[in-house]
Amino acid sequence: MVGKLLTRGMLVGLLAGILSFGFLKIVGEPQVDRAIAFESAMDEAKTQAKVDEAKAKGIDLPKEEPEPELVSREVQGGIGLLTGVMVYSVAFGGLFALVFALAYGRMGDFGPRATSALLAAAGLVAIYIVPNLKYPANPPSVGIPDTIGMRTALYFVMILVSLAVMIAAGLLRLRLKPRFGAWNAALIAAASYLVVMVGVSLALPGVNEVPEAFPAVVLWQFRIASLGAQLIMWATLGLAFGAWTERAATVRNGLQLKSAAR
């Protein structure tokens, strides 16, 4: 049973990856190109400033050769983007299926579609939305290279804490449900999640390395593209996986009824 769910989740993740790639290719890649163009212009300006300063002192600086491009932008924005998105989406599809197998029947009286949709919504909030409110997505060319390790570590800490608190909130809802009812228990659990995550967000250090001259429109559109790709992936996982699982359960129950009738 779990093996079938895992295969199903990975196949749905494959579909989600194709849809996300198409969206990012159309909406996200132009913003990446504009960000790279901005970075190149800034580097040229810095180089020219050094040359002008050296000339003013009567020094001739040797011409710096540009670093060789290991991977072209065409490859990065084509097969590279496709590979990254597909691996990411298929992996999340498999993990989603395993979580579904663990949570189904334990979250309450929900069918496969409702369980899948609720898990996808919780995953989107815990893994993407809340961490990105603290550390929003930036184009590849934005930020100080020396701090990339620190920024990555902080972002993953935020994801892990958010995910752990979301799981704890779900368990709290189940414990409070007999006493306060399903609706009130859900509200209390959601409020508890928000309070804890606000405290965690305030405790973690902020990171703001976007250059002052960076175009705000490009930054905004890049973040919208990032959010859109995540919405597509999680919506596909939640809706398609739930519908497929419910249909499979209906077919299986129908076959069992026919066998029993014989």
Side-chain angles (χ1 to χ4, degrees):
M1 180 65 179
V2 176
K4 290 182 178 179
L5 287 175
L6 180 61
T7 302
R8 189 178 303 152
M10 294 177 72
L11 289 174
V12 173
L14 188 67
L15 173 62
I18 293 172
L19 296 175
S20 298
F21 168 75
F23 178 81
L24 287 173
K25 186 66 177 177
I26 296 172
V27 181
E29 277 301 296
Q31 315 314 321
V32 175
D33 289 336
R34 293 186 182 103
I36 292 174
F38 172 83
E39 182 186 39
S40 299
M42 292 292 291
D43 290 340
E44 290 176 3
K46 290 178 182 178
T47 301
Q48 188 61 44
K50 290 181 180 179
V51 171
D52 293 340
E53 183 180 357
K55 284 184 177 180
K57 296 178 180 179
I59 303 173
D60 290 330
L61 291 178
K63 185 178 179 181
E64 295 183 2
E65 294 295 331
E67 295 183 2
E69 190 177 41
L70 299 179
V71 182
S72 67
R73 271 298 298 146
E74 288 76 13
V75 174
Q76 292 177 17
I79 189 65
L81 177 63
L82 176 63
T83 302
V85 171
M86 295 304 292
V87 170
Y88 180 87
S89 299
V90 170
F92 264 97
L95 291 173
F96 183 84
L98 295 177
V99 173
F100 178 90
L102 180 64
Y104 183 58
R106 296 181 175 89
M107 293 175 58
D109 189 20
F110 299 116
R113 286 195 179 191
T115 301
S116 182
L118 288 172
L119 287 176
L124 175 64
V125 171
I127 296 176
Y128 183 79
I129 292 180
V130 169
N132 269 266
L133 289 175
K134 177 64 177 180
Y135 302 114
N138 289 326
S141 61
V142 172
I144 302 172
D146 293 341
T147 64
I148 189 171
M150 179 199 71
R151 287 183 280 126
T152 303
L154 287 173
Y155 182 68
F156 276 104
V157 166
M158 192 69 180
I159 290 177
L160 291 175
V161 172
S162 177
L163 192 58
V165 176
M166 178 65 77
I167 294 172
L171 296 175
L172 177 64
R173 182 188 71 85
L174 293 177
R175 293 196 62 179
L176 296 179
K177 183 180 176 182
R179 180 178 179 184
F180 296 100
W183 179 250
N184 290 330
L187 291 178
I188 294 171
S192 301
Y193 172 80
L194 289 175
V195 169
V196 173
M197 291 313 302
V198 167
V200 171
S201 180
L202 293 174
L204 290 175
V207 176
N208 183 17
E209 298 182 353
V210 179
E212 293 183 4
F214 191 85
V217 174
V218 174
L219 184 62
W220 172 253
Q221 290 178 344
F222 177 84
R223 290 175 177 174
I224 289 296
S226 175
L227 174 61
Q230 289 289 325
L231 284 172
I232 290 171
M233 186 191 78
W234 286 105
T236 304
L237 289 177
L239 299 177
F241 183 87
W244 191 354
T245 302
E246 185 174 78
R247 180 176 176 80
T250 302
V251 171
R252 184 173 62 251
N253 292 336
L255 292 175
Q256 289 176 352
L257 289 175
K258 288 182 180 179
S259 300
R262 291 175 184 176

